[in-house]
Amino acid sequence: MKLLLPSVILFSVSNFLGICSASTWQINQALEQIPDINERYERNVQGSGSGDLSGEGPCSDDEDSPCSNGRTTMDLTSYPAPRIRSLNVETTITARYVSTTVITEIENQANVSQDSDFRFRLSKGAFISDFFMVIKGRVYQADVREKEEAQKAYNEARRQGLTAGQVKQSSNDQTKFETNVNLSPNTTATFHLSFQEQLRRKNGVFQHKVNLFPKEIVKKLRADVYITEPQGISFANISWEQDDSLTTDFLYDALTVNRRSDTKVHAWFNPSHWDQEGLSEMGLQGDLVITYDVVHDSGAGHIEVVNGYFVHHISPEGLPITPKNVIFVIDISGSMNGQDGANYGSKIDQTKVAMTSIIDQIRDFDHFNIICFSDYITRWNTAVVEATPENKMAAKQFVDSLQANGGTDIHGGLMDAIIRLKELEDQNVRNALSMIILLTDGEPTSGITNPSEIVESITKAIDGKIALLSLAFGASADYELLQKLSGHNQGLARKIYSDSSPSLQLDGFYKEVATPILYNVDVQYPENAVEMDTLTKTNFISYFQGTEIVIAGKLKDDYEGNELSALVVGNSFDVQLEWGLTKTIESHLDKGGNDTVLKPHQVDDFAQRLWAYVTIKELLAQLEIALTADEKNSIRDKATGIALKYKFVTPLTSLIVIKPDDEENYDDILETETEEEHVPINNAQAHGISQPQSIGASSLPLPAVASRSYSYSAPQRLPQPMSVDGDPHVFVTLPKENISLCFEITGEDGMMINLMSDEGLDIYINAVIHSVSEATGTTIKSFFTAIGLNLGRHALIVTPRSIKVEGGLTMDWKIKSRMAFDGFILRVDPAEKVLEINNMKGVSMYVRRHSDIRTKRRVGSRKHKREEHLGLYIQETSGFTESLGGILGQFYSTRHEFRIEPAGPPDGIPDQNFGNLTSLIADGTKIPVVWHEKNQHTCWHAGKGGHGNLDPALYKTDTLI
């Protein structure tokens, strides 16, 4: 007798801590609608994709059992459970955008139908992008629908008695996908699941995990990861993580990394049957971990443009850590005495352990305080104080003495912290990033308790000048409130799970935010090239060490240029930095129209899909903090439209598949929708996304071009009245007589001299002389190999290889960049090889980088060595004060007198005889000069100088800065 069983497909997406009960209930209700299902069989089979199935016979002793009335009873447990024939995972990573496809083949070798589950844990934050099954050669394709529309199609399938399933994602935390299918006798089903995500840089690396937990030994199992990073890959490795106590050294041969080029890596995991058994009786139960990093620069980052969309990655290196003013606002209400989940001790005890470690990590140049709240406010200190060893010791003693009791006045604790931080504005504290780290385990029960009032009050008080970071400790915390508080105040909210060492989670979170590198970061793009309303977030209150800023957008359809420019502005300490970047838009299509860069093993249209992914994530975050119904509806419509266009399963969309018995009305069911609930998904509507605006003003003013668009033009080279360059050749235009004077500076190798000094402007410029004797010994060439500049409170050393600013900041000769401090603006122009310096008050100069001096080191040798050197050009002098001095500065000081006697060649015609009688009168001293013409420059030449006011020895100094 043949046992007839219905076709069954079940779907759900759940958090890995537990299956989503709502979806399971809906699917079970659908199964009850299938005609005669309860008359055919009744069983409860639980399984996994591994075929870890258990079941009971469909009959019982109950007189109402479906096996009564003479029906045959069968014991399904006597049949072999469905098994996984093969499991293949392929991940492609292109410029941090990840696309993973999991293909699992499950076989039912029994001669009766059996249920089997396919389960896979996705990476946190991933969006499912595709799912289909192949059964008996028939493809069952899931479709992404707006959530309500999918529900209607699902309900219609139930009404018609058809098998249906849908995937819902109720929150961004859900990570488990599972589906159940009933396999006919001797049948194989193949499941294809695809999901996509963006890799975030954390602690200096990118890490991608592939969870493999088939619950059985799989004969054919392989995972491949293909990485393509146009920016360059600095390193990559692959590892297996399972039980911490388990030795996995024997997997060495199964884990392979093949570096194909500077930009491409192929890693794979191919464990044998014996490898899997060596891990456990059920084989793999862990994560395949791929860790890598890219090559970073010290400038504006890297842009990739593909098919009209661009992705901009920014992660400047070589910058010093910026000081921070941080206040820890800690909940010490009575609920902190409790504990959730695993036995790690009470929440207050876990907080004490974490805070002790965190206080030790606070850097000496930081300022900090600790404020605790319950029904009342308890402060460790009345002010935000320096992190001296004594203060840190006292703070740890304060934390150790904390007792938890009373209610929860979140508003009061935050307001007290804001007041303390704003008091720093009236004190002489160096510019720093101000932040509040809030830790609470409950809802507000004291003081102001209305969530909307708390958000409005705190946001108004912060006024955009403080980053608010919120930590929700345990399941009872009001995470929605914390999301809104942080979302409105340039911060982030995170959950601290009670069942996984909370103290380590707290400590790990602080490590992420402990090292700010930049603050008030703003990124700008030209309006003529970019659709401004498609840009993802472009301004950030902070950039932390080991992380990365990512911005995506769309080029205008009518943009015909072949370059995309960007300008990155940020602050480090009290220095404003600016970097420029220009990306050439290249075509990567071959003659057949195929993309030669993105195939094979790369994500198609990765820039466009990454843009869609990041935009949806940002819109979902905005939806969490939206305050009005109109605002929520507008955000929801935009996010839904993009999710449908790119087939992403999000909290606003669902994945649905229907398997009708006769398969004739499949298309009719999928078309079920109502006109008034149509969701716009056309291109224009999908792109209609406004840029999220920051609330309040920045803590420091941004430059005049602080909008999201800008124009960036090459600096003009003005005729310079004064310069020193070459061997080193000084060229000066005497201001009174408007006569040009030139002379050479010589000195022993390594000698340092003062070129200019102005005490009134606090400007001091020194240089190092480098002298080289040629092989013949008849010629000695001298030039500058380093120039030191003291500009206000800051000092920098310029060499042909680097530009280093005191405090650890650097500028790169090869990167268009800008820096501002103490009224000075510095700009590097790589094309001109110059460093411009301007104080906007009548002083302008630039340093030029050269490599055109050639020296011959050996007699008879035809080879010359190019000597890298520097030149200094003074463009504008009107802003200098009366105190101006130095071997160059003296010529523009009223304290010195210079003139040519006689007053120059008659009618401007050089006369050698006349020149022999001419002198430079320098403060009364006669220095012979001759008329000189070279390289279209004419001047009175004082030769090697060497005496009087031109003697370099008079300006010798012991320090460069």
Side-chain angles (χ1 to χ4, degrees), residues 69-120:
N69 300 322
R71 287 192 173 93
T72 302
T73 300
M74 299 187 66
D75 181 10
L76 295 183
T77 60
S78 62
Y79 293 95
R83 305 283 297 179
I84 296 179
R85 290 180 58 180
S86 64
L87 172 60
N88 289 280
V89 180
E90 182 173 307
T91 296
T92 58
I93 303 174
T94 306
R96 301 15 155 231
Y97 192 65
V98 184
S99 181
T100 299
T101 298
V102 182
I103 303 175
T104 305
E105 191 177 18
I106 301 178
E107 180 181 26
N108 177 20
Q109 296 179 329
N111 58 4
V112 295
S113 296
Q114 296 192 81
D115 282 359
S116 179
D117 288 353
F118 166 62
R119 298 179 180 178
F120 197 86

Short mmCIF file of all heavy atoms in Angstrom, two decimals, residues 69-120:
data_model
loop_
_atom_site.label_atom_id
_atom_site.label_comp_id
_atom_site.label_asym_id
_atom_site.label_seq_id
_atom_site.Cartn_x
_atom_site.Cartn_y
_atom_site.Cartn_z
N ASN A 69 -9.90 2.55 11.88
CA ASN A 69 -10.82 2.20 10.81
C ASN A 69 -10.13 1.39 9.72
O ASN A 69 -10.38 1.55 8.54
CB ASN A 69 -11.46 3.44 10.18
CG ASN A 69 -12.25 4.23 11.20
OD1 ASN A 69 -12.90 3.66 12.08
ND2 ASN A 69 -12.17 5.57 11.11
N GLY A 70 -9.22 0.54 10.15
CA GLY A 70 -8.64 -0.41 9.21
C GLY A 70 -7.47 0.09 8.42
O GLY A 70 -6.95 -0.63 7.58
N ARG A 71 -7.01 1.34 8.68
CA ARG A 71 -5.87 1.84 7.92
C ARG A 71 -4.58 1.13 8.36
O ARG A 71 -4.44 0.71 9.49
CB ARG A 71 -5.71 3.35 8.10
CG ARG A 71 -6.79 4.14 7.34
CD ARG A 71 -6.40 5.62 7.32
NE ARG A 71 -7.32 6.37 6.47
CZ ARG A 71 -8.40 6.98 6.94
NH1 ARG A 71 -8.70 6.90 8.22
NH2 ARG A 71 -9.17 7.66 6.13
N THR A 72 -3.62 1.06 7.44
CA THR A 72 -2.35 0.41 7.73
C THR A 72 -1.48 1.31 8.59
O THR A 72 -1.38 2.51 8.39
CB THR A 72 -1.62 0.09 6.42
OG1 THR A 72 -2.46 -0.74 5.64
CG2 THR A 72 -0.30 -0.61 6.70
N THR A 73 -0.82 0.74 9.55
CA THR A 73 0.11 1.47 10.41
C THR A 73 1.54 1.21 9.94
O THR A 73 1.92 0.08 9.70
CB THR A 73 -0.03 1.01 11.87
OG1 THR A 73 -1.35 1.27 12.30
CG2 THR A 73 0.97 1.73 12.76
N MET A 74 2.31 2.30 9.82
CA MET A 74 3.71 2.18 9.38
C MET A 74 4.62 2.87 10.38
O MET A 74 4.30 3.94 10.89
CB MET A 74 3.90 2.81 8.00
CG MET A 74 3.07 2.16 6.90
SD MET A 74 3.52 2.83 5.28
CE MET A 74 5.17 2.26 5.12
N ASP A 75 5.76 2.30 10.64
CA ASP A 75 6.75 2.88 11.55
C ASP A 75 7.85 3.54 10.72
O ASP A 75 8.73 2.88 10.19
CB ASP A 75 7.33 1.78 12.43
CG ASP A 75 8.34 2.36 13.42
OD1 ASP A 75 8.42 3.60 13.53
OD2 ASP A 75 9.04 1.55 14.07
N LEU A 76 7.78 4.91 10.59
CA LEU A 76 8.75 5.62 9.76
C LEU A 76 10.14 5.62 10.35
O LEU A 76 11.11 5.90 9.66
CB LEU A 76 8.27 7.06 9.53
CG LEU A 76 6.97 7.21 8.72
CD1 LEU A 76 6.67 8.68 8.53
CD2 LEU A 76 7.05 6.50 7.38
N THR A 77 10.26 5.35 11.64
CA THR A 77 11.59 5.38 12.25
C THR A 77 12.47 4.25 11.74
O THR A 77 13.68 4.26 11.97
CB THR A 77 11.48 5.29 13.78
OG1 THR A 77 10.82 4.06 14.13
CG2 THR A 77 10.68 6.46 14.33
N SER A 78 11.89 3.28 11.05
CA SER A 78 12.68 2.17 10.54
C SER A 78 13.35 2.51 9.22
O SER A 78 14.13 1.71 8.71
CB SER A 78 11.80 0.93 10.35
OG SER A 78 10.77 1.18 9.40
N TYR A 79 13.05 3.70 8.67
CA TYR A 79 13.63 4.08 7.39
C TYR A 79 14.81 5.03 7.61
O TYR A 79 14.82 5.80 8.56
CB TYR A 79 12.58 4.77 6.50
CG TYR A 79 11.48 3.82 6.07
CD1 TYR A 79 10.29 3.74 6.79
CD2 TYR A 79 11.65 3.02 4.95
CE1 TYR A 79 9.29 2.89 6.39
CE2 TYR A 79 10.64 2.15 4.55
CZ TYR A 79 9.46 2.08 5.28
OH TYR A 79 8.48 1.22 4.89
N PRO A 80 15.80 4.96 6.73
CA PRO A 80 16.94 5.88 6.88
C PRO A 80 16.50 7.32 6.69
O PRO A 80 15.74 7.62 5.76
CB PRO A 80 17.90 5.43 5.77
CG PRO A 80 17.03 4.76 4.75
CD PRO A 80 15.93 4.10 5.52
N ALA A 81 16.96 8.19 7.57
CA ALA A 81 16.60 9.60 7.48
C ALA A 81 17.27 10.23 6.26
O ALA A 81 18.30 9.76 5.79
CB ALA A 81 17.04 10.32 8.75
N PRO A 82 16.68 11.28 5.73
CA PRO A 82 17.33 11.99 4.63
C PRO A 82 18.74 12.44 5.02
O PRO A 82 18.98 12.83 6.16
CB PRO A 82 16.41 13.20 4.39
CG PRO A 82 15.08 12.74 4.87
CD PRO A 82 15.35 11.86 6.05
N ARG A 83 19.63 12.39 4.08
CA ARG A 83 21.02 12.72 4.33
C ARG A 83 21.48 13.82 3.38
O ARG A 83 20.95 13.99 2.29
CB ARG A 83 21.92 11.48 4.10
CG ARG A 83 21.55 10.26 4.88
CD ARG A 83 21.96 10.35 6.32
NE ARG A 83 23.41 10.44 6.47
CZ ARG A 83 24.02 10.54 7.66
NH1 ARG A 83 23.29 10.59 8.77
NH2 ARG A 83 25.33 10.59 7.74
N ILE A 84 22.50 14.56 3.81
CA ILE A 84 23.09 15.58 2.95
C ILE A 84 24.10 14.90 2.02
O ILE A 84 25.08 14.31 2.49
CB ILE A 84 23.79 16.67 3.77
CG1 ILE A 84 22.79 17.42 4.63
CG2 ILE A 84 24.51 17.66 2.85
CD1 ILE A 84 23.41 18.49 5.49
N ARG A 85 23.86 15.00 0.73
CA ARG A 85 24.81 14.45 -0.23
C ARG A 85 25.99 15.39 -0.45
O ARG A 85 27.13 14.95 -0.60
CB ARG A 85 24.11 14.20 -1.58
CG ARG A 85 23.13 13.04 -1.54
CD ARG A 85 22.48 12.83 -2.89
NE ARG A 85 23.47 12.58 -3.94
CZ ARG A 85 23.14 12.36 -5.22
NH1 ARG A 85 21.87 12.38 -5.60
NH2 ARG A 85 24.07 12.14 -6.11
N SER A 86 25.69 16.69 -0.46
CA SER A 86 26.77 17.66 -0.67
C SER A 86 26.37 19.00 -0.07
O SER A 86 25.19 19.34 0.01
CB SER A 86 27.09 17.83 -2.16
OG SER A 86 25.98 18.37 -2.85
N LEU A 87 27.39 19.74 0.35
CA LEU A 87 27.20 21.08 0.89
C LEU A 87 28.32 21.96 0.35
O LEU A 87 29.49 21.71 0.61
CB LEU A 87 27.23 21.06 2.42
CG LEU A 87 27.24 22.42 3.14
CD1 LEU A 87 26.00 23.23 2.78
CD2 LEU A 87 27.32 22.22 4.65
N ASN A 88 27.95 22.97 -0.43
CA ASN A 88 28.92 23.87 -1.04
C ASN A 88 28.57 25.32 -0.70
O ASN A 88 27.42 25.73 -0.84
CB ASN A 88 28.95 23.71 -2.56
CG ASN A 88 29.58 22.40 -2.98
OD1 ASN A 88 30.80 22.27 -3.01
ND2 ASN A 88 28.75 21.41 -3.30
N VAL A 89 29.57 26.04 -0.25
CA VAL A 89 29.40 27.46 0.07
C VAL A 89 30.39 28.24 -0.77
O VAL A 89 31.59 27.95 -0.77
CB VAL A 89 29.64 27.75 1.56
CG1 VAL A 89 29.45 29.24 1.85
CG2 VAL A 89 28.71 26.91 2.43
N GLU A 90 29.89 29.23 -1.49
CA GLU A 90 30.77 30.10 -2.27
C GLU A 90 30.52 31.54 -1.87
O GLU A 90 29.41 32.05 -1.98
CB GLU A 90 30.56 29.92 -3.77
CG GLU A 90 31.52 30.80 -4.58
CD GLU A 90 31.47 30.54 -6.07
OE1 GLU A 90 31.63 29.36 -6.46
OE2 GLU A 90 31.29 31.50 -6.85
N THR A 91 31.58 32.20 -1.40
CA THR A 91 31.50 33.59 -0.99
C THR A 91 32.39 34.42 -1.89
O THR A 91 33.55 34.07 -2.11
CB THR A 91 31.95 33.76 0.47
OG1 THR A 91 31.04 33.06 1.33
CG2 THR A 91 31.97 35.22 0.87
N THR A 92 31.85 35.51 -2.40
CA THR A 92 32.65 36.46 -3.16
C THR A 92 32.62 37.78 -2.41
O THR A 92 31.56 38.27 -2.01
CB THR A 92 32.10 36.65 -4.58
OG1 THR A 92 30.74 37.09 -4.52
CG2 THR A 92 32.17 35.36 -5.36
N ILE A 93 33.80 38.35 -2.21
CA ILE A 93 33.94 39.63 -1.54
C ILE A 93 34.59 40.60 -2.51
O ILE A 93 35.71 40.37 -2.96
CB ILE A 93 34.80 39.52 -0.26
CG1 ILE A 93 34.21 38.47 0.69
CG2 ILE A 93 34.91 40.86 0.43
CD1 ILE A 93 35.07 38.19 1.91
N THR A 94 33.88 41.65 -2.85
CA THR A 94 34.39 42.65 -3.78
C THR A 94 34.31 44.02 -3.11
O THR A 94 33.22 44.51 -2.85
CB THR A 94 33.59 42.66 -5.09
OG1 THR A 94 33.58 41.34 -5.64
CG2 THR A 94 34.21 43.63 -6.08
N ALA A 95 35.45 44.60 -2.81
CA ALA A 95 35.50 45.91 -2.16
C ALA A 95 34.59 45.94 -0.94
O ALA A 95 33.77 46.82 -0.78
CB ALA A 95 35.13 47.02 -3.14
N ARG A 96 34.75 44.95 -0.07
CA ARG A 96 34.04 44.81 1.21
C ARG A 96 32.59 44.37 1.07
O ARG A 96 31.91 44.19 2.07
CB ARG A 96 34.03 46.07 2.05
CG ARG A 96 35.24 46.77 2.52
CD ARG A 96 36.57 46.60 2.08
NE ARG A 96 37.29 47.85 2.37
CZ ARG A 96 38.00 48.48 1.48
NH1 ARG A 96 38.10 48.01 0.25
NH2 ARG A 96 38.63 49.59 1.80
N TYR A 97 32.09 44.23 -0.15
CA TYR A 97 30.70 43.78 -0.30
C TYR A 97 30.69 42.28 -0.51
O TYR A 97 31.41 41.75 -1.37
CB TYR A 97 30.01 44.48 -1.46
CG TYR A 97 28.52 44.25 -1.46
CD1 TYR A 97 27.73 44.75 -0.43
CD2 TYR A 97 27.90 43.53 -2.47
CE1 TYR A 97 26.37 44.54 -0.40
CE2 TYR A 97 26.53 43.33 -2.46
CZ TYR A 97 25.77 43.84 -1.42
OH TYR A 97 24.41 43.62 -1.39
N VAL A 98 29.88 41.57 0.27
CA VAL A 98 29.92 40.11 0.34
C VAL A 98 28.63 39.51 -0.23
O VAL A 98 27.53 39.93 0.13
CB VAL A 98 30.09 39.64 1.80
CG1 VAL A 98 30.24 38.12 1.85
CG2 VAL A 98 31.27 40.32 2.45
N SER A 99 28.80 38.55 -1.09
CA SER A 99 27.67 37.77 -1.60
C SER A 99 27.99 36.30 -1.37
O SER A 99 29.01 35.80 -1.85
CB SER A 99 27.44 38.05 -3.08
OG SER A 99 26.33 37.30 -3.56
N THR A 100 27.12 35.61 -0.63
CA THR A 100 27.34 34.20 -0.28
C THR A 100 26.20 33.36 -0.82
O THR A 100 25.02 33.72 -0.66
CB THR A 100 27.44 34.02 1.24
OG1 THR A 100 28.54 34.77 1.73
CG2 THR A 100 27.63 32.55 1.60
N THR A 101 26.53 32.26 -1.44
CA THR A 101 25.54 31.29 -1.93
C THR A 101 25.82 29.93 -1.30
O THR A 101 26.95 29.45 -1.35
CB THR A 101 25.56 31.18 -3.46
OG1 THR A 101 25.22 32.44 -4.04
CG2 THR A 101 24.56 30.14 -3.94
N VAL A 102 24.79 29.37 -0.70
CA VAL A 102 24.88 28.05 -0.06
C VAL A 102 24.04 27.07 -0.88
O VAL A 102 22.84 27.30 -1.08
CB VAL A 102 24.37 28.10 1.39
CG1 VAL A 102 24.54 26.74 2.05
CG2 VAL A 102 25.09 29.17 2.18
N ILE A 103 24.66 26.02 -1.35
CA ILE A 103 23.96 25.00 -2.14
C ILE A 103 24.04 23.68 -1.38
O ILE A 103 25.12 23.15 -1.17
CB ILE A 103 24.57 24.85 -3.55
CG1 ILE A 103 24.56 26.19 -4.28
CG2 ILE A 103 23.81 23.79 -4.35
CD1 ILE A 103 25.25 26.15 -5.63
N THR A 104 22.88 23.19 -0.96
CA THR A 104 22.82 21.95 -0.19
C THR A 104 21.92 20.95 -0.91
O THR A 104 20.79 21.25 -1.27
CB THR A 104 22.25 22.21 1.22
OG1 THR A 104 23.03 23.22 1.86
CG2 THR A 104 22.27 20.94 2.05
N GLU A 105 22.46 19.75 -1.09
CA GLU A 105 21.72 18.67 -1.77
C GLU A 105 21.36 17.62 -0.73
O GLU A 105 22.22 17.03 -0.09
CB GLU A 105 22.60 18.07 -2.87
CG GLU A 105 21.85 17.14 -3.80
CD GLU A 105 22.75 16.62 -4.91
OE1 GLU A 105 23.99 16.71 -4.76
OE2 GLU A 105 22.22 16.12 -5.90
N ILE A 106 20.07 17.40 -0.52
CA ILE A 106 19.57 16.45 0.48
C ILE A 106 18.83 15.32 -0.24
O ILE A 106 17.98 15.57 -1.10
CB ILE A 106 18.64 17.15 1.49
CG1 ILE A 106 19.40 18.27 2.20
CG2 ILE A 106 18.09 16.16 2.50
CD1 ILE A 106 18.57 19.06 3.18
N GLU A 107 19.11 14.09 0.18
CA GLU A 107 18.57 12.92 -0.51
C GLU A 107 17.74 12.07 0.46
O GLU A 107 18.17 11.80 1.59
CB GLU A 107 19.71 12.08 -1.08
CG GLU A 107 19.25 10.83 -1.82
CD GLU A 107 20.41 10.02 -2.34
OE1 GLU A 107 21.51 10.12 -1.75
OE2 GLU A 107 20.22 9.29 -3.32
N ASN A 108 16.55 11.71 0.03
CA ASN A 108 15.71 10.76 0.77
C ASN A 108 15.84 9.40 0.09
O ASN A 108 15.29 9.17 -0.98
CB ASN A 108 14.25 11.23 0.77
CG ASN A 108 13.34 10.23 1.46
OD1 ASN A 108 13.79 9.39 2.24
ND2 ASN A 108 12.05 10.30 1.16
N GLN A 109 16.58 8.49 0.73
CA GLN A 109 16.83 7.18 0.15
C GLN A 109 15.75 6.16 0.51
O GLN A 109 15.79 5.03 0.04
CB GLN A 109 18.20 6.66 0.60
CG GLN A 109 19.36 7.51 0.11
CD GLN A 109 20.70 6.99 0.60
OE1 GLN A 109 20.79 6.41 1.69
NE2 GLN A 109 21.74 7.18 -0.21
N ALA A 110 14.82 6.58 1.35
CA ALA A 110 13.76 5.66 1.76
C ALA A 110 12.69 5.56 0.67
O ALA A 110 12.60 6.41 -0.21
CB ALA A 110 13.14 6.13 3.07
N ASN A 111 11.87 4.49 0.78
CA ASN A 111 10.79 4.34 -0.19
C ASN A 111 9.48 4.92 0.32
O ASN A 111 8.39 4.54 -0.12
CB ASN A 111 10.61 2.87 -0.57
CG ASN A 111 10.32 2.00 0.65
OD1 ASN A 111 10.17 2.52 1.76
ND2 ASN A 111 10.25 0.69 0.44
N VAL A 112 9.59 5.82 1.30
CA VAL A 112 8.43 6.57 1.78
C VAL A 112 8.83 8.05 1.84
O VAL A 112 10.01 8.38 1.90
CB VAL A 112 7.99 6.11 3.19
CG1 VAL A 112 7.51 4.67 3.17
CG2 VAL A 112 9.11 6.29 4.20
N SER A 113 7.83 8.92 1.81
CA SER A 113 8.09 10.35 1.92
C SER A 113 8.51 10.69 3.34
O SER A 113 8.01 10.13 4.30
CB SER A 113 6.83 11.14 1.55
OG SER A 113 6.48 10.94 0.21
N GLN A 114 9.46 11.65 3.45
CA GLN A 114 9.94 12.07 4.76
C GLN A 114 10.19 13.57 4.75
O GLN A 114 10.52 14.16 3.72
CB GLN A 114 11.24 11.34 5.13
CG GLN A 114 11.10 9.84 5.28
CD GLN A 114 12.34 9.26 5.91
OE1 GLN A 114 12.51 9.29 7.13
NE2 GLN A 114 13.22 8.70 5.08
N ASP A 115 10.06 14.16 5.93
CA ASP A 115 10.35 15.58 6.09
C ASP A 115 11.84 15.79 6.31
O ASP A 115 12.51 14.97 6.93
CB ASP A 115 9.60 16.16 7.30
CG ASP A 115 8.15 16.42 6.98
OD1 ASP A 115 7.74 16.17 5.82
OD2 ASP A 115 7.41 16.85 7.89
N SER A 116 12.32 16.93 5.81
CA SER A 116 13.70 17.30 6.05
C SER A 116 13.78 18.81 6.17
O SER A 116 13.09 19.53 5.46
CB SER A 116 14.61 16.82 4.92
OG SER A 116 15.95 17.20 5.16
N ASP A 117 14.63 19.27 7.07
CA ASP A 117 14.84 20.71 7.25
C ASP A 117 16.15 21.13 6.62
O ASP A 117 17.15 20.40 6.66
CB ASP A 117 14.90 21.07 8.74
CG ASP A 117 13.55 20.98 9.41
OD1 ASP A 117 12.56 20.77 8.69
OD2 ASP A 117 13.50 21.10 10.64
N PHE A 118 16.14 22.32 6.04
CA PHE A 118 17.37 22.96 5.61
C PHE A 118 17.53 24.20 6.47
O PHE A 118 16.69 25.09 6.49
CB PHE A 118 17.31 23.34 4.13
CG PHE A 118 18.39 24.30 3.70
CD1 PHE A 118 19.73 23.95 3.80
CD2 PHE A 118 18.07 25.57 3.23
CE1 PHE A 118 20.73 24.84 3.43
CE2 PHE A 118 19.07 26.46 2.86
CZ PHE A 118 20.39 26.09 2.95
N ARG A 119 18.63 24.25 7.22
CA ARG A 119 18.88 25.37 8.11
C ARG A 119 20.25 25.96 7.83
O ARG A 119 21.20 25.24 7.54
CB ARG A 119 18.83 24.93 9.57
CG ARG A 119 17.49 24.39 10.02
CD ARG A 119 17.55 23.95 11.46
NE ARG A 119 16.29 23.43 11.93
CZ ARG A 119 16.09 22.94 13.16
NH1 ARG A 119 17.09 22.92 14.01
NH2 ARG A 119 14.91 22.48 13.50
N PHE A 120 20.32 27.29 7.96
CA PHE A 120 21.61 27.95 7.79
C PHE A 120 21.59 29.24 8.58
O PHE A 120 20.64 30.01 8.49
CB PHE A 120 21.90 28.24 6.32
CG PHE A 120 23.35 28.54 6.06
CD1 PHE A 120 24.25 27.51 5.82
CD2 PHE A 120 23.83 29.84 6.07
CE1 PHE A 120 25.59 27.77 5.60
CE2 PHE A 120 25.16 30.12 5.85
CZ PHE A 120 26.05 29.08 5.60
#
